[in-house]
């Protein structure tokens, strides 16, 4: 539904889509990619399709990759970027750290060429592998294959160390803002609106 609305809003046809990028860790299966299912459902028969897994940062990273593909691949005109999260099956309803923060939803955007000075002006990416265990879903991964899952230990549920995640946010988001402003030649006064992915004030 989100993809169809995005295509309609872009005033193009599904057949015009040259690439589908889907960011999700909760696809129907471990593989094939959920993007392939979306491509088929839309009848976007000429579109390539792949998934990427980058957690909450997935949509932003997919936008960056999509923009780079538009710049580098001759003939590519429109890219569909989809973010999908079906997290309710992985929630322990008795755990307030996660049960009240995560849900199900999807969003989609069509990337196309725009006049100079518009569109994606710059991007900045940062990862801290030291926080690898701060938010996780262990069951189904190669370290916790289905046949070895012990449901009593809770590995089938999304787990989060809220304090550790919050520290990452407070420490690195201001740094990222400074980096992207410098890269684009903008100042804080030039920005009309900041949109943050964060569950609290």
């Amino acid at each position: 539904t989100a993809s169809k609305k995005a295509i309609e809003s872009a005033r193009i046809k599904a057949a015009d889509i040259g690439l589908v990028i889907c960011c999700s860790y909760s696809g129907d299966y471990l593989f094939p990619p959920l993007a392939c299912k979306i491509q088929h459902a839309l009848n976007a028969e000429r579109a390539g399709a792949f998934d990427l897994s980058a957690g909450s940062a997935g949509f932003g990273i997919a936008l960056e990759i999509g923009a780079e593909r538009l710049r580098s691949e001759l003939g590519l005109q429109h890219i569909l970027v989809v973010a999908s999260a079906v997290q309710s099956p992985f929630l322990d309803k008795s755990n307030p750290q996660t049960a009240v923060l995560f849900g199900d939803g999807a969003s989609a955007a069509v990337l196309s060429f725009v006049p100079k000075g518009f569109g994606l002006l710059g991007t900045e990416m940062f990862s801290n592998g030291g926080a690898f265990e701060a938010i996780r879903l262990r069951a189904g991964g190669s370290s916790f294959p289905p046949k070895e899952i012990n449901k009593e230990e809770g590995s089938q549920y999304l787990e989060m160390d809220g304090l550790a995640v919050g520290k990452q946010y407070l420490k690195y988001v201001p740094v990222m803002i400074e980096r992207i402003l410098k890269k684009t030649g903008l100042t804080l006064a030039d920005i009309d609106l900041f949109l943050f992915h964060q569950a609290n004030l």
Side-chain angles (χ1 to χ4, degrees), residues 26-43:
S26 59
D28 291 17
Y29 312 131
L30 285 176
F31 65 89
L34 181 59
C36 289
K37 185 174 184 179
I38 294 170
Q39 181 243 38
H40 179 69
L42 294 172
N43 292 318

Side-chain angles (χ1 to χ4, degrees), residues 10-186:
R11 298 180 181 177
I12 63 172
K13 299 177 181 178
D16 298 324
I17 298 293
L19 179 64
V20 179
I21 305 175
C22 182
C23 25
S24 178
Y25 70 83
S26 59
D28 291 17
Y29 312 131
L30 285 176
F31 65 89
L34 181 59
C36 289
K37 185 174 184 179
I38 294 170
Q39 181 243 38
H40 179 69
L42 294 172
N43 292 318
E45 298 176 355
R46 294 185 296 172
F50 68 88
D51 285 359
L52 64 84
S53 177
S56 299
F59 190 72
I61 292 173
L63 289 177
E64 179 176 358
I65 292 172
E68 289 299 324
R69 296 302 302 151
L70 280 176
R71 294 187 188 106
S72 64
E73 186 172 335
L74 192 64
L76 189 58
Q77 296 292 316
H78 306 286
I79 295 176
L80 177 67
V81 174
V82 184
S84 172
V86 181
Q87 299 169 123
S88 55
F90 309 110
L91 293 179
D92 177 359
K93 301 298 194 301
S94 66
N95 181 357
Q97 279 251 335
T98 55
V100 299
L101 296 179
F102 297 92
D104 302 337
S107 61
V110 173
L111 302 186
S112 306
F113 289 98
V114 294
K116 189 174 182 179
F118 292 86
L120 193 62
L121 302 182
T123 62
E124 183 71 24
M125 189 187 307
F126 171 81
S127 300
N128 178 15
F132 184 74
E133 302 289 351
I135 182 166
R136 64 192 186 181
L137 179 58
R138 294 176 290 159
S142 59
S143 295
F144 291 83
K147 66 180 180 180
E148 297 180 15
I149 292 173
N150 180 357
K151 291 188 176 182
E152 293 181 2
E153 73 173 11
S155 64
Q156 76 275 26
Y157 293 128
L158 197 153
E159 302 167 283
M160 182 177 71
D161 180 341
L163 184 59
V165 172
K167 286 180 178 178
Q168 300 301 310
Y169 183 85
L170 291 172
K171 182 176 182 179
Y172 293 115
V173 168
V175 174
M176 299 298 288
I177 291 173
E178 290 179 356
R179 287 182 183 176
I180 195 65
L181 289 174
K182 185 176 181 180
K183 182 181 284 188
T184 57
L186 299 172

